[in-house]
Amino acid sequence: MKKYVLITGATSGIGKEVALRLAKEYNIIFHGRNHENLEILSNDVENSLFWCYDLSLVDGISSSLKALMEKNEIVIEKLVHCAGIDDNLPVKLLNYDSIEKLMKVNFYSVVEIINILLKRSVNKNELKNILFISSISAIRGYKVKAAYSASKAALDAYMKVLSLEVAPNIRVNSILPGAIKTKMTEKSFENEELVKHFVEIYPLGIGKVQQIVDMVEFYLSDKSSWVTGQQIVVDGGSLV
Ligand SMILES: NC(=O)c1ccc[n+]([C@@H]2O[C@H](COP(=O)([O-])OP(=O)(O)OC[C@H]3O[C@@H](n4cnc5c(N)ncnc54)[C@H](OP(=O)(O)O)[C@@H]3O)[C@@H](O)[C@H]2O)c1
């Protein structure tokens, strides 16, 4: 059976660039919500597939992914979970619904994906490497980011436990980027004051998407074969 790497959130930002880089070495599955975008991306990359699914619909994830794998007679050997959403809400305005919205896409969705990929009957024990795009917010506090931070911290806590339960066959790590200009952060990067602040707090300057992609490539490769269960901070040495 042909082996694939699944990249969630591959229609934009970090996920899209990860998918395009990995496509040079692996068969890839672009994931996203926009059918038209996915079709365009996949048409340009030989042997690639796409999975169009809204991850906030957590209950249907397993059956949708299983159907894709069975239809194409493939297994998934590596998973990069990039899909994510952000929110800016002061603690006073937080409520169950606002938190749950982020938890579904950032965390619950990947639990469902991994459950199906760990099923021998579906994925034939072929899963070998899992990488989460978490965030520096998982380990540091920033105003109005409580729900986002909590969703990324939950993801990383799960990552640490999962890495123990699936070793030695599967490695699991999280990459924790600092602020990078993408669709998610474009408003912040339009704010001159904030950009000035970023320049001050990042000793190595403001990061670029390709610097995150370099890390993804490394932690998916055998060059990192003795690394699992880690939160890998990639933030230019941020001072705060
Ligand atoms: N940019 C940063 O500064 C930064 C820093 C730390 C961590 N991160 C993390 O990096 C990851 C990628 O973010 P990015 O900056 O590249 O943002 P982005 O450009 O907004 O990309 C987010 C991706 O997630 C997908 N997505 C969002 N909601 C979805 C849903 N309900 N179902 C399926 N797919 C969904 C988007 O698909 P659509 O195109 O359909 O919206 C898109 O492909 C996120 O997990 C983010 O938390 C980013």
Side-chain angles (χ1 to χ4, degrees):
M1 270 180 152
K2 222 167 170 178
K3 297 180 185 180
Y4 277 77
V5 180
L6 170 62
I7 303 104
T8 69
T11 48
S12 169
I14 296 170
K16 180 177 171 183
E17 296 307 319
V18 163
L20 293 174
R21 175 88 66 88
L22 295 180
K24 294 175 183 161
E25 195 178 343
Y26 307 98
N27 299 318
I28 61 157
I29 306 173
F30 291 94
H31 160 267
R33 284 178 294 186
N34 185 314
H35 196 276
E36 203 183 329
N37 283 352
L38 286 166
E39 215 161 28
I40 293 169
L41 283 165
S42 184
N43 280 344
D44 281 349
V45 175
E46 213 178 320
N47 289 325
S48 69
L49 298 170
F50 67 86
W51 178 36
C52 186
Y53 192 85
D54 181 341
L55 294 179
S56 64
L57 307 171
V58 179
D59 287 346
I61 290 175
S62 293
S63 56
S64 173
L65 182 55
K66 185 166 176 258
L68 176 96
M69 293 169 71
E70 287 176 350
K71 181 176 162 221
N72 292 284
E73 299 183 344
I74 60 162
V75 288
I76 292 175
E77 57 168 339
K78 296 170 199 259
L79 164 68
V80 187
H81 180 50
C82 286
I85 51 172
D86 194 8
D87 208 350
N88 293 329
L89 271 184
V91 167
K92 275 186 189 168
L93 298 182
L94 279 184
N95 57 40
Y96 174 81
D97 287 340
S98 60
I99 297 171
E100 200 61 358
K101 200 172 118 199
L102 269 74
M103 291 298 278
K104 280 181 179 172
V105 179
N106 296 356
F107 174 45
Y108 302 156
S109 66
V110 82
V111 174
E112 288 295 309
I113 291 172
I114 289 168
N115 281 351
I116 198 76
L117 296 185
L118 290 179
K119 279 206 169 29
R120 193 176 175 186
S121 57
V122 179
N123 204 31
K124 322 290 177 214
N125 285 349
E126 289 292 352
L127 189 62
K128 297 287 176 270
N129 199 319
I130 300 169
L131 207 48
F132 297 150
I133 305 301
S134 174
S135 167
I136 195 65
S137 297
I139 55 169
R140 295 210 189 113
Y142 300 101
K143 283 182 182 171
V144 302
K145 295 287 180 191
Y148 181 69
S149 293
S151 70
K152 295 296 189 179
L155 182 68
D156 286 0
Y158 165 78
M159 175 278 293
K160 287 180 194 172
V161 175
L162 181 66
S163 71
L164 299 176
E165 293 191 8
V166 298
N169 298 324
I170 307 174
R171 296 194 295 117
V172 196
N173 292 288
S174 287
I175 289 181
L176 281 58
I180 304 278
K181 190 176 175 187
T182 64
K183 192 176 75 185
M184 179 182 278
T185 54
E186 63 192 357
K187 284 225 164 64
S188 303
F189 279 88
E190 280 165 13
N191 179 331
E192 279 179 28
E193 280 302 304
L194 206 48
V195 173
K196 216 174 119 202
H197 173 67
F198 289 154
V199 171
E200 282 165 9
I201 64 165
Y202 291 126
L204 296 184
I206 293 175
K208 297 187 176 68
V209 170
Q210 291 303 333
Q211 289 169 312
I212 307 302
V213 180
D214 289 339
M215 292 294 100
V216 171
E217 203 175 17
F218 178 76
Y219 285 101
L220 278 192
S221 80
D222 289 344
K223 288 183 180 158
S224 57
S225 59
W226 208 38
V227 182
T228 197
Q230 300 304 307
Q231 290 175 293
I232 299 143
V233 173
V234 187
D235 73 345
S238 176
L239 303 172
V240 290

